[in-house]
């Protein structure tokens, strides 16, 4: 386990670490404990990077998605991923870690990333998603000005910025955000463009359409479905409550999308790119494919609950990723059906393990370990 005891602010992770080869590239990743942070870190480690991730303090361990790649920092020769406490709401922590780590690339993935929750906590969402990005950009700018160093910056933009503008959506499609989250991502997008233009910063916006995986947070619709489906299949639950199942999304695989983030920072010039599969499916289609895969009929299990409807909805997202395909030579490898099956397979295994614990009396069926 990536023990928080081992996340020490007193250690100097870069300059003082003699094991880092002078040519090793150093990446600084916010949101490393999230879905994308975990895939990006695996990807960068494979490329030979040293990866420094910012984690925020929580009362429970929040490193489940990166435990499998964590090496105790006392094992200095092998530990190429290092974790540091910071928060996008704390500007001083961002600047301090930039000065210590001296990264070549910064990936800003941290966010309060749930659209529906952003209606409940709009002020906090704006503080982290919009102002948080500005704090990090300013920390990068001032670090570069003070040290003469160069840093490349990636901003995690979102197809939610297009909101109610009809598909297909490309880099030139106007934004019409439909939630506090989406409006905050628009602000972060324009802060990034402004820092590029004002300070000549190598800064890119990746406008990524929905991307999923077995590591997706359990309250996003795809994972909510596959998690419930596994439990229904093994008899741990019978019903699944959902909101608007007519919404349509361009769903790709997170593992494919982190490569596009990295590619954006390897170009001659910084730019903004849409990353998408160019295919769109409704939530209902996701239900059809996933339940059908396990020989079940979703209509026997799904109930619509108004609680999950949003004050304003984004009806239809479908990206036009031509620029990324041509400019970055990027294309998605995992298609819709393969993605659904991958998630169902993993969550069926998880449910089977839960069932063993339930049958042995260690947990009750309502409780998820
Ligand atoms: P997740 O919700 O899985 O991860 C979010 C990460 O941000 C977590 O590591 C979380 O930490 C961290 N975080 C949240 N608040 C703060 C804060 N105040 N300070 C520091 N860290 C914080 O998101 P994804 O991995 O799915 O997405 C990554 C980024 O890409 C996000 O910015 C998201 O908005 C954006 N995006 C995602 C898309 C998708 O389909 N997945 C599509 C387009 C954009 P903790 O683990 O402690 O909660
Ligand atoms: P989204 O993802 O809002 O597109 O944001 P989410 O999976 O939450 O919703 C997708 C669509 O499904 C509908 N829906 C439900 N959604 C949830 N979460 N729970 C339900 O029960 C439910 N029922 C129906 C939603 O209304 C919506 O239309 C994700 C996040 O990762 C963002 O951070 C990212 O920027 C965008 O994708 C691109």
């Amino acid at each position: 386990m990536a023990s928080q005891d081992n996340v020490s602010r007193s250690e100097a992770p870069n300059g003082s670490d003699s094991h880092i080869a002078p040519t090793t590239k150093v990446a600084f990743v916010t949101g490393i404990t999230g879905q994308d942070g975990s895939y990006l870190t695996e990807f960068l480690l494979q490329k030979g990077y040293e990866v420094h991730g910012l984690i925020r303090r929580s009362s429970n361990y929040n490193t489940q998605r990166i435990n499998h790649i964590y090496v105790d920092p006392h094992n200095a020769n092998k530990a190429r991923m290092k974790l540091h406490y910071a928060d996008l709401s704390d500007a001083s922590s961002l600047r301090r870690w930039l000065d210590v780590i001296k990264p070549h690339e910064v990936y800003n993935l941290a966010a309060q990333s749930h659209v529906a929750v952003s209606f409940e906590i709009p002020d906090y969402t704006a503080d982290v998603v919009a102002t948080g990005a500005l704090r990090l950009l300013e920390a990068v700018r001032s670090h570069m000005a003070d040290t003469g160093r160069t840093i490349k910056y990636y901003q995690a933009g979102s197809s939610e910025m297009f909101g109610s503008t009809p598909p297909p959506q490309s880099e030139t499609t106007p934004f019409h955000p439909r939630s506090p989250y989406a409006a905050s991502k628009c602000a972060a997008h324009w802060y990034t463009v402004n820092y590029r233009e004002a300070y000549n910063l190598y800064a890119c916006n990746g406008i990524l359409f929905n991307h999923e995986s077995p590591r997706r947070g359990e309250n996003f619709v795809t994972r909510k479905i596959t998690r419930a489906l596994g439990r229904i299949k093994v008899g741990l639950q019978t019903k699944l409550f959902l909101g608007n199942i007519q919404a349509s999304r361009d769903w790709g695989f997170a593992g494919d999308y982190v490569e596009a983030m990295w590619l954006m920072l390897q170009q001659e010039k910084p730019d903004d790119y849409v990353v998408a599969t160019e295919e769109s499916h409704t939530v209902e289609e996701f239900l059809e494919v996933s339940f059908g895969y396990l020989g079940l009929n979703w209509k026997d299990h799904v109930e619509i609950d108004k609680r999950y409807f949003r004050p304003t909805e984004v009806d239809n997202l479908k990206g036009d990723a031509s620029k990324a395909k041509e400019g970055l030579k990027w294309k998605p490898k995992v298609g819709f059906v393969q993605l659904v099956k991958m998630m169902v397979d993993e969550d069926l295994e998880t449910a089977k393990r839960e069932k063993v614990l339930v049958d042995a009396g260690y947990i009750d069926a309502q409780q998820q370990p």
Side-chain angles (χ1 to χ4, degrees):
M1 177 173 293
S3 160
Q4 295 193 354
D5 281 350
N6 286 334
V7 180
S8 167
R9 59 167 285 192
S10 58
E11 288 166 16
N14 196 7
S16 66
D17 275 0
S18 53
H19 71 281
I20 304 172
T23 51
T24 301
K25 271 203 174 176
V26 178
F28 177 102
V29 179
T30 74
I32 194 167
T33 55
Q35 171 188 253
D36 291 7
S38 68
Y39 283 106
L40 179 66
T41 300
E42 283 173 2
F43 177 87
L44 292 173
L45 290 174
Q46 269 184 354
K47 290 256 168 223
Y49 279 67
E50 169 146 328
V51 180
H52 293 258
L54 300 192
I55 69 167
R56 54 185 183 152
R57 197 268 159 182
S58 71
S59 65
N60 282 315
Y61 287 133
N62 55 359
T63 54
Q64 292 89 336
R65 293 187 180 98
I66 48 174
N67 284 340
H68 63 288
I69 43 175
Y70 185 77
V71 176
D72 191 307
H74 298 103
N75 194 347
N77 290 326
K78 290 203 178 134
R80 285 193 294 119
M81 176 187 77
K82 305 200 175 172
L83 304 176
H84 314 284
Y85 284 118
D87 200 295
L88 277 194
S89 62
D90 184 327
S92 66
S93 66
L94 303 176
R95 175 63 204 263
R96 188 176 68 245
W97 282 120
L98 284 175
D99 288 348
V100 173
I101 294 163
K102 300 183 179 63
H104 302 100
E105 296 171 6
V106 169
Y107 296 86
N108 184 29
L109 308 185
Q112 186 306 91
S113 73
H114 201 285
V115 173
V117 172
S118 78
F119 288 98
E120 309 292 331
I121 47 171
D123 190 343
Y124 173 76
T125 301
D127 188 44
V128 174
V129 175
T131 310
L134 181 62
R135 287 186 191 105
L136 186 53
L137 281 161
E138 183 53 21
V140 167
R141 184 204 64 75
S142 63
H143 168 87
M144 285 173 47
D146 292 349
T147 62
R149 299 185 64 253
T150 302
I151 291 178
K152 293 180 172 184
Y153 177 91
Y154 173 84
Q155 172 60 32
S158 166
S159 52
E160 282 293 300
M161 298 188 296
F162 298 122
S164 56
T165 311
Q169 293 101 355
S170 74
E171 296 80 4
T172 54
T173 303
F175 296 151
H176 188 143
R178 298 271 283 170
S179 63
Y181 165 82
S184 301
K185 281 289 181 189
C186 288
H189 174 97
W190 287 112
Y191 289 144
T192 305
V193 172
N194 181 244
Y195 269 63
R196 185 166 71 212
E197 292 173 353
Y199 305 114
N200 210 18
L201 178 65
Y202 189 113
C204 301
N205 286 294
I207 306 176
L208 272 54
F209 282 61
N210 296 55
H211 43 279
E212 319 294 310
S213 74
R215 298 183 200 166
R216 184 59 141 150
E218 293 190 20
N219 59 355
F220 296 96
V221 76
T222 55
R223 187 80 200 289
K224 183 174 170 181
I225 293 170
T226 59
R227 193 76 177 85
L229 173 55
R231 287 167 58 84
I232 289 168
K233 184 71 183 172
V234 301
L236 288 176
Q237 75 182 67
T238 53
K239 291 284 173 212
L240 165 62
F241 296 95
L242 292 175
N244 174 19
I245 62 170
Q246 297 317 320
S248 209
R249 291 289 183 275
D250 181 331
W251 279 299
F253 172 52
D256 289 344
Y257 285 37
V258 297
E259 184 188 11
M261 298 175 185
W262 175 78
L263 282 168
M264 285 179 216
L265 299 196
Q266 314 311 313
Q267 307 304 307
E268 213 168 289
K269 288 188 180 152
D271 208 340
D272 307 325
Y273 297 88
V274 158
V275 177
T277 67
E278 305 187 324
E279 244 187 63
S280 190
H281 300 272
T282 60
V283 176
E284 185 173 333
E285 285 177 273
F286 194 101
L287 287 166
E288 291 271 1
V289 174
S290 55
F291 275 71
Y293 180 48
L294 293 191
L296 296 171
N297 184 345
W298 66 270
K299 288 181 182 154
D300 296 335
H301 301 280
V302 172
E303 284 186 22
I304 303 301
D305 183 341
K306 283 208 167 73
R307 193 170 10 150
Y308 297 112
F309 281 76
R310 296 165 183 189
T312 38
E313 177 60 285
V314 171
D315 295 319
N316 196 359
L317 293 174
K318 183 173 182 247
D320 169 355
S322 327
K323 183 172 167 184
K325 282 181 175 163
E326 279 162 37
L328 304 178
K329 307 283 175 243
W330 175 89
K331 63 171 193 261
K333 298 182 185 85
V334 177
F336 176 68
V337 173
Q338 196 185 345
L339 173 66
V340 176
K341 288 181 176 174
M342 179 201 300
M343 294 178 72
V344 173
D345 285 340
E346 286 265 350
D347 279 333
L348 183 58
E349 284 310 307
T350 305
K352 284 179 183 166
R353 285 196 295 274
E354 270 179 70
K355 180 83 163 69
V356 171
L357 295 175
V358 170
D359 289 347
Y362 290 121
I363 58 170
D364 64 53
Q366 303 303 317
Q367 184 191 337
Q368 296 177 8

